[in-house]
């Protein structure tokens, strides 16, 4: 079988399993198509294209089960325009596994390398809620309209991420569709209001246009308010 998916050509073969029909695919994926698939509000976060291997699992015995799409890619040729530690150059390789259950709502699970996992719930092409786990196995989704980041980072460029978060979460005032970013994370080294902190625990999020952050470390403990201006 051959055809087009994500606006690019693919080849596929069909196999009948015990209870399912499996369609194995080889093809390429543009990052523009991926942006549309997962409902990212900005089209300049991802760029380029990459090759992928995919399996579509179609239930035969139980039609109530959702169709599933499993995708594997090394992401060579794809760019991720985000600050450290999530940025990626086109020539670099990064193994990514994704599993999409086409239920209502759509359930998307992603594994990036060994340490990063994410789960997103999508409805009508937009992210309803999600979680990003770094060196953590927790993947329970937060409340609707929220995106939670949890886990452990070696370092974190706070100023760069303030700007990047506007693109990721659609935080502009005029936006009709936005996610509220929340976090509960431990960072080995970070600079906050001129202080270099080590082993700092952060929790909080974006509230009514401002960042409200709780912090606990050896040099600082309390709450930080970062206004939008």
């Amino acid at each position: 079988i051959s055809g087009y998916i994500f606006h690019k050509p693919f080849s596929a073969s069909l196999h009948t399993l015990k209870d399912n029909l499996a369609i194995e695919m080889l093809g390429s994926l543009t990052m523009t198509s991926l942006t549309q698939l997962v409902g990212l509000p900005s089209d300049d976060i991802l760029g380029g294209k990459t090759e992928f291997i995919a399996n579509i699992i179609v239930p035969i015995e139980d039609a109530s089960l959702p169709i599933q799409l499993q995708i594997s890619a090394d992401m060579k040729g794809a760019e991720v325009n985000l600050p450290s530690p999530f940025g990626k150059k086109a020539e670099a390789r990064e193994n990514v596994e994704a599993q999409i259950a086409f239920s209502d709502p759509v359930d998307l699970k992603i594994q990036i390398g060994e340490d990063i996992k994410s789960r997103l719930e999508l409805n009508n092409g937009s992210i309803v809620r999600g979680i990003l786990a770094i060196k953590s196995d927790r993947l329970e989704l937060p409340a609707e309209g929220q995106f939670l980041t949890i886990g452990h980072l070696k370092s974190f460029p706070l100023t760069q991420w303030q700007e990047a978060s506007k693109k990721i979460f659609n935080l502009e005032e005029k936006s009709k569709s936005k996610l509220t970013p929340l976090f509960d994370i431990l960072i080995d080294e970070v600079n906050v209001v001129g202080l270099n902190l080590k082993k700092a625990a952060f929790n909080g999020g974006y509230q009514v246009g401002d960042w409200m952050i709780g912090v606990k470390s050896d040099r600082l403990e309390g709450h930080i308010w970062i206004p939008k201006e």
Side-chain angles (χ1 to χ4, degrees), residues 124-199:
N124 295 324
S126 296
I127 300 173
V128 177
R129 54 181 178 161
I131 184 169
L132 175 65
I134 307 158
K135 295 185 178 180
S136 171
D137 292 327
R138 178 183 169 186
L139 283 179
E140 296 89 356
L141 289 167
E144 186 171 319
Q146 296 180 345
F147 189 96
L148 174 64
T149 300
I150 60 170
H152 180 199
L153 286 170
K154 290 183 178 180
S155 62
F156 189 77
L158 183 60
T159 303
Q160 295 178 34
W161 274 101
Q162 280 183 259
E163 293 301 315
S165 63
K166 296 177 183 178
K167 297 179 181 180
I168 299 171
F169 299 107
N170 218 9
L171 297 179
E172 298 299 329
E173 286 187 17
K174 296 180 181 179
S175 172
K176 295 181 181 180
S177 175
K178 63 180 69 175
L179 288 171
T180 298
L182 306 173
F183 50 88
D184 185 0
I185 198 161
L186 176 68
I187 304 176
D188 288 344
E189 187 173 356
V190 64
N191 185 286
V192 178
V193 293
L195 293 176
N196 290 317
L197 307 180
K198 298 184 182 297
K199 300 294 183 183

Side-chain angles (χ1 to χ4, degrees), residues 21-180:
L21 175 66
I23 306 173
E24 297 182 359
M25 304 172 57
L26 299 173
S28 61
L29 170 68
T30 67
M31 294 302 99
T32 299
S33 297
L34 183 59
T35 295
Q36 296 170 351
L37 177 65
V38 302
L40 289 176
S42 175
D43 58 5
D44 59 0
I45 296 175
L46 303 176
K49 65 178 181 178
T50 192
E51 305 296 314
F52 71 88
I53 300 172
N55 281 289
I56 300 176
I57 307 298
V58 182
I60 297 176
E61 294 296 323
D62 188 350
S64 66
L65 296 176
I67 295 173
Q68 296 202 32
L69 172 62
Q70 301 166 349
I71 303 175
S72 299
D74 66 7
M75 298 299 284
K76 183 179 180 181
E79 297 178 357
V80 182
N81 300 310
L82 290 175
S84 173
F86 300 108
K88 178 191 167 301
K89 300 295 185 182
E91 61 272 16
R93 295 179 185 267
E94 185 72 73
N95 290 328
V96 175
E97 305 280 340
Q99 181 173 320
I100 307 172
F102 291 96
S103 51
D104 186 17
V106 173
D107 188 8
L108 169 59
K109 296 177 181 178
I110 304 170
Q111 172 93 35
I112 304 174
E114 297 182 356
D115 296 332
I116 301 174
K117 301 175 183 177
S118 183
R119 183 181 177 190
L120 306 174
E121 192 174 88
L122 300 99
N123 192 10
N124 295 324
S126 296
I127 300 173
V128 177
R129 54 181 178 161
I131 184 169
L132 175 65
I134 307 158
K135 295 185 178 180
S136 171
D137 292 327
R138 178 183 169 186
L139 283 179
E140 296 89 356
L141 289 167
E144 186 171 319
Q146 296 180 345
F147 189 96
L148 174 64
T149 300
I150 60 170
H152 180 199
L153 286 170
K154 290 183 178 180
S155 62
F156 189 77
L158 183 60
T159 303
Q160 295 178 34
W161 274 101
Q162 280 183 259
E163 293 301 315
S165 63
K166 296 177 183 178
K167 297 179 181 180
I168 299 171
F169 299 107
N170 218 9
L171 297 179
E172 298 299 329
E173 286 187 17
K174 296 180 181 179
S175 172
K176 295 181 181 180
S177 175
K178 63 180 69 175
L179 288 171
T180 298

